[in-house]
Amino acid sequence: MDRKVGAALAVGIIGVIVGVVGIVMAKDASDANKDTQAQLEQQIKQSNKNSAAKVAAAAAAAKLVEKKVQNKASAAEQQDAASLESAEKKDSAQVSANASSIQTLNDKVSELSQEIGDVEGKQKSNIAKVNARIDELSARVGSGG
């Protein structure tokens, strides 16, 4: 074998070895990449599960807070309704008392109006009697004098 052919053969063998080593390294890198990708996907799934659990826990907590707020608001509304009802009853009682007082005052005004009418009638009657007496006296004075 010639040196050049031997060298070419040696370079060829080295090239094949380097190629095989490169293929093996590429295969190892590909396998490592697949393993890394699988691990990342597993971590993402786990993270998603954890996130979903956190979101669900946060939603449950928010619902509890909302329920507490609604219960407090409901209690406040009930208390306000009770206070309003009490105030309305008190006002209604006051209105009834006022209406009764107004009716009593109206009755008194009617009685006084009637009494005033009676007094005016008697006064007119008395004035008529006094005028008649004055006429009678005037007639006597005029005829006797």
Side-chain angles (χ1 to χ4, degrees):
M1 227 196 283
D2 191 309
R3 271 185 170 188
K4 286 185 179 181
V5 173
L9 187 60
V11 167
I13 291 173
I14 291 174
V16 168
I17 291 173
V18 169
V20 168
V21 168
I23 290 171
V24 169
M25 286 176 62
K27 173 80 169 116
D28 286 344
S30 175
D31 290 344
N33 188 26
K34 286 180 183 176
D35 290 345
T36 304
Q37 185 68 27
Q39 287 176 350
L40 282 174
E41 287 176 0
Q42 184 64 31
Q43 286 178 349
I44 288 171
K45 286 179 184 177
Q46 186 66 31
S47 177
N48 285 345
K49 286 180 184 177
N50 289 344
S51 294
K54 287 179 183 177
V55 167
K63 283 186 179 183
L64 285 175
V65 169
E66 180 183 11
K67 195 171 191 177
K68 284 182 182 178
V69 167
Q70 285 177 345
N71 287 342
K72 285 183 180 178
S74 177
E77 286 174 1
Q78 288 175 350
Q79 186 176 4
D80 288 349
S83 295
L84 182 60
E85 187 176 338
S86 173
E88 285 176 348
K89 285 181 181 177
K90 193 175 184 181
D91 288 348
S92 178
Q94 186 65 42
V95 165
S96 294
N98 288 349
S100 177
S101 296
I102 289 171
Q103 185 60 43
T104 301
L105 288 174
N106 282 337
D107 291 346
K108 291 288 183 186
V109 167
S110 294
E111 285 178 25
L112 289 174
S113 294
Q114 189 174 2
E115 286 183 22
I116 289 171
D118 290 348
V119 168
E120 286 177 343
K122 287 180 183 177
Q123 184 180 11
K124 286 181 183 177
S125 173
N126 287 339
I127 289 173
K129 286 180 186 177
V130 167
N131 284 337
R133 182 81 175 151
I134 290 172
D135 290 342
E136 186 182 309
L137 289 174
S138 179
R140 273 193 202 168
V141 169
S143 62

